[in-house]
Amino acid sequence: MTFSLYILIVIALIGLFLIWIFWSSIIGAGFQPTSKKLVKQMLDMAEVGTGDIVYDLGSGDGRIVINAVKKYNAKAVGLEADPSRVFWSRLVITLSGIGNRAKIVWGNFFNQNISEATVVTLFLSDTANQKLKSKFLEELKPGTRIVSYVWKFRGWKPVKADETEEIYLYVIGQSNLSLKERDIRYY
């Protein structure tokens, strides 16, 4: 191979790496793993238990899905747009032997039906959270718990909040959840 071919391969690999890193930022939120401590706090705040179906929007490496199944005995579904993270989390789920109670779906969570969720977890962005409000109100049943890390839902009052850790719990049908014209300006 010539030197210019090596340079071309290196540039292509760098480009692919940058796309992999920034892909999830482009479609909604960047990948930043949530610590084990915060995962536990989020699931504890939602009081996840055996009868729950946890949906993690932007599930990344699957840690919330895996913890919901292994430590809280819930069923769990992760929705992730990055194919490499989908592959990784599916591999971990398979190796953990929890594939009968956990799954990762590849795709854009805005286009997925989440109506069976009893708990929804997310660590996305302010813009993504605001866009999800109408989806939540249309698809989720009363009593469904939504736990957001860092980003609040403007116009909604959390049922519980840990301001230090920036974890906010909302419940469909409670907290004066409403969809007003001012809440949908991002569409």
Side-chain angles (χ1 to χ4, degrees), residues 6-7 17 24 27 47-48 73 89 136 154 163-164 185:
Y6 281 121
I7 296 296
F17 177 75
S24 49
I27 60 169
E47 299 178 9
V48 173
N73 203 30
S89 52
F136 290 163
R154 279 186 304 243
E163 295 289 345
T164 304
R185 65 178 171 262

Side-chain angles (χ1 to χ4, degrees), residues 136-137 140-146 156-157 159 170-178:
F136 290 163
L137 293 173
L140 299 176
K141 295 176 279 309
T144 302
R145 287 101 65 206
I146 302 166
W156 289 5
K157 183 180 177 194
V159 173
Y170 302 87
V171 179
I172 296 295
Q174 295 180 18
S175 314
N176 300 322
L177 301 189
S178 65

